[in-house]
Amino acid sequence: MLLLDKPVRVDLWRRLIEILERYADSVHLGRVTPELDPEAIRALLAPVDFSAPVDPEQALQFVADNLWRFQTHTPHPRYYGLFNPAPTTMGIAADALVAAFNPQLAAWSHSPLAVEIEQHLIRHLGVRFGYDPVSAAGAFASGGAEANHTAVLTALTHAFPDFARLGARGLPADPVFYASTESHHSFLKAARLCGLGWESLRNIPVTADLAMDKEALRSAIRVDREQGRLPFLVVATAGTTSAGVVDPLPSVASVAGDEGLWFHVDAAWGGAAAIDPQLRPLLAGIERADSISFDAHKWLSVPMGAGLYLTRHPDILRRTFHTATAYMPREAAGLDVIDPHLESMQWSRRFTGLKVFLSLMVAGWAGYGRAIRHMTAMGQLLRSELERSGWEVVNRTPLPVVCFRDRSGADPAAVVRRVVGSGEAWISTTLLPVYGATLRACITNYRTQADDIHALIESLDHARRETLSA
């Protein structure tokens, strides 16, 4: 029953392709959001007690039908959400290949092509960010949180050579690092997971444009040094989660350089701007980063999850993660190759990079550039249509994240409840310095068109009228 007979397999693959094609062709016709009914889902699952085998096609159809019912459809062109994309066709095909071949990316000798494909991608993506291809290094990760965690670990290893052996207990004083108040909350988790505690993270205020205040950064470092603490890392963000703002990378790089600190750029979403010549100037200064986080499963639209940690220091990952074992394969000993388990947080790992590799092979840099420009243009259209309809856009960024509020004072949370509850779109609220609670909509889907923007405006206007009259 684990390997089904060939005729059964052929029918199953055929049915799977039919399901995938129907979803790709029809997802835009249905609700974006599901009815939130946990009891209904549990009732569906209750009869599944695994006591008897189920027909394979019936089992497949059961899951597909209920994913249609009980999921926020991030591939829907009216999902204006949290950087979750409509996946590329080649990304879906890649994940199917990976599931079938099941390469194990711990030791090079077990999956030499897979490891070399990922290293090839790391060099090419590094070049896009301004790294020298000879020294560009990195590792694929589950997502930006793991990549940011890796950045904190590599910065600690760089600043404190005995950290890998002794940990925080071997340091003579408290280590501290710096990121803006608009940085991603994964750095709080990283501080905890590294054994530093979240009080080691210094949240630097932002300017009126919601970008890191470089003078406040410099002042915070000075105060910490005067009080005997050990600064070791500065984090800048290239495309904040809430408002899509890019920190002043050259200025922050200069502060980090002047202070002798590791400089990391969290470009999990906004880093894809490096692919488009029109947007690339936004990332000026990123080439000075010691390390970069980048999520291909965001603006490169590959299936979850495909995070990347990139660095221009080819030895730092091995220094951070190397460990000796008696049981790992040694067939590649003496070859000029990388065993991924020695240079990353993970050990056994899926072939994450194939979905990026195949998507780039087919679309090319130019194809991706066109897709990114299209989504950026849809963001600009959304801004102009919101203003025309009496909404106030409060963030300033060329990237397609739009934060806005009603000029007449409609409650943002109430508006979101009505829009999301209708199933017509998915948007969210966020909290911004100065502005407080605002609505947030992001273009994350290369299939979003002007008609989808106009439909969102209509849904927002209707929700506003209902909110103000309630």
Side-chain angles (χ1 to χ4, degrees):
M1 291 304 293
L2 298 185
L3 177 63
L4 302 178
D5 293 338
K6 183 174 180 178
V8 178
R9 293 200 308 268
V10 169
D11 287 343
L12 187 68
W13 303 149
R14 185 180 297 113
R15 185 70 193 116
L16 176 60
I17 291 169
E18 290 171 358
I19 289 168
L20 297 181
E21 278 299 303
R22 177 171 172 255
Y23 188 67
D25 286 344
S26 307
V27 63
H28 66 289
L29 300 175
R31 289 176 59 100
V32 182
T33 57
E35 300 285 349
L36 300 182
D37 188 346
E39 291 306 316
I41 298 171
R42 291 163 191 160
L44 277 171
L45 294 173
V48 183
D49 61 3
F50 314 109
S51 59
V54 174
D55 175 78
E57 286 193 49
Q58 181 184 344
L60 187 71
Q61 195 67 54
F62 171 83
V63 174
D65 288 346
N66 289 300
L67 281 173
W68 271 95
R69 283 185 65 191
F70 296 110
Q71 177 179 317
T72 293
H73 293 286
T74 57
H76 198 296
R78 295 178 189 176
Y79 172 81
Y80 300 98
L82 299 174
F83 306 143
N84 301 308
T88 64
T89 301
M90 294 309 297
I92 297 169
D95 267 0
L97 275 177
V98 169
F101 281 79
N102 202 28
Q104 155 63 289
L105 268 71
W108 185 93
S109 62
H110 270 39
S111 301
L113 176 67
V115 175
E116 291 300 321
I117 281 175
E118 291 197 345
Q119 291 300 309
H120 185 77
L121 282 168
I122 284 165
R123 289 190 292 273
H124 277 267
L125 287 166
V127 167
R128 288 279 152 174
F129 288 114
Y131 283 173
D132 183 337
V134 174
S135 58
F140 274 83
S142 57
E146 183 187 331
N148 287 337
H149 188 179
T150 299
V152 178
L153 286 168
T154 53
L156 285 163
T157 301
H158 174 78
F160 313 113
D162 279 338
F163 184 81
R165 182 169 64 94
L166 299 175
R169 65 188 174 87
L171 300 179
D174 292 337
V176 289
F177 67 108
Y178 308 85
S180 87
T181 54
E182 291 297 289
S183 65
H184 196 267
H185 287 76
S186 59
F187 289 103
L188 288 170
K189 282 191 176 182
R192 294 169 65 182
L193 294 170
C194 290
L196 306 180
W198 63 44
E199 289 186 357
S200 65
L201 174 58
R202 301 292 193 256
N203 287 129
I204 304 303
V206 295
T207 64
D209 289 337
L210 304 177
M212 181 187 281
D213 185 332
K214 66 179 186 298
E215 295 306 323
L217 170 64
R218 196 181 294 276
S219 175
I221 295 170
R222 183 181 67 252
V223 169
D224 277 326
R225 289 199 192 280
E226 290 172 351
Q227 295 180 357
R229 301 184 186 93
L230 300 174
F232 69 94
L233 165 67
V234 173
V235 177
T237 306
T240 57
T241 303
S242 286
V245 171
V246 178
D247 285 334
L249 302 182
S251 299
V252 179
S254 293
V255 174
D258 291 346
E259 298 289 343
L261 308 182
W262 188 273
F263 176 42
H264 176 71
V265 176
D266 179 3
W269 174 66
I275 293 172
D276 177 27
Q278 295 177 20
L279 292 176
R280 181 60 178 83
L282 288 173
L283 302 183
I286 199 169
E287 69 282 354
R288 298 168 64 182
D290 294 292
S291 58
I292 299 167
S293 296
F294 177 60
D295 280 349
H297 63 249
K298 290 188 168 75
W299 219 359
L300 291 195
S301 301
V302 303
M304 294 287 181
L308 272 163
Y309 168 91
L310 300 169
T311 180
R312 56 186 175 87
H313 300 280
D315 66 325
I316 193 63
L317 285 168
R318 182 167 287 261
R319 287 170 52 204
T320 302
F321 295 112
H322 183 274
T323 185
T325 64
Y327 52 81
M328 289 301 290
R330 284 173 166 73
E331 296 94 320
L335 297 178
D336 181 20
V337 298
I338 288 172
D339 282 329
H341 80 280
L342 298 176
E343 300 204 356
S344 70
M345 193 177 296
Q346 298 184 50
W347 204 286
S348 300
R349 178 166 69 74
R350 201 168 194 265
F351 183 11
T352 305
L354 185 61
K355 60 189 102 177
V356 186
F357 183 76
L358 286 183
S359 296
L360 270 169
M361 278 188 77
V362 171
W365 297 119
Y368 264 110
R370 287 192 295 273
I372 288 167
R373 283 194 297 278
H374 169 74
M375 286 183 272
T376 302
M378 291 299 98
Q380 292 166 348
L381 176 64
L382 176 57
R383 288 186 188 91
S384 63
E385 291 300 309
L386 285 167
E387 293 281 4
R388 182 176 294 114
S389 198
W391 301 87
E392 178 190 9
V393 176
V394 301
N395 65 326
R396 290 178 287 279
T397 177
L399 302 180
V401 178
V402 187
C403 299
F404 57 101
R405 58 188 180 184
D406 176 40
R407 295 184 190 278
S408 56
D411 175 38
V415 171
V416 165
R417 281 195 299 272
R418 284 173 166 81
V419 171
V420 173
S422 73
E424 295 168 356
W426 195 94
I427 59 172
S428 59
T429 59
T430 192
L431 286 172
L432 296 177
V434 179
Y435 301 105
T438 70
L439 295 112
R440 178 190 178 279
C442 178
I443 312 299
T444 69
N445 190 330
Y446 53 85
R447 297 174 68 175
T448 299
Q449 303 294 332
D451 286 350
D452 300 303
I453 301 298
H454 295 139
L456 174 59
I457 299 297
E458 183 176 339
S459 183
L460 283 165
D461 289 348
H462 179 71
R464 174 173 55 184
R465 287 192 298 270
E466 287 188 334
T467 299
L468 292 173
S469 62

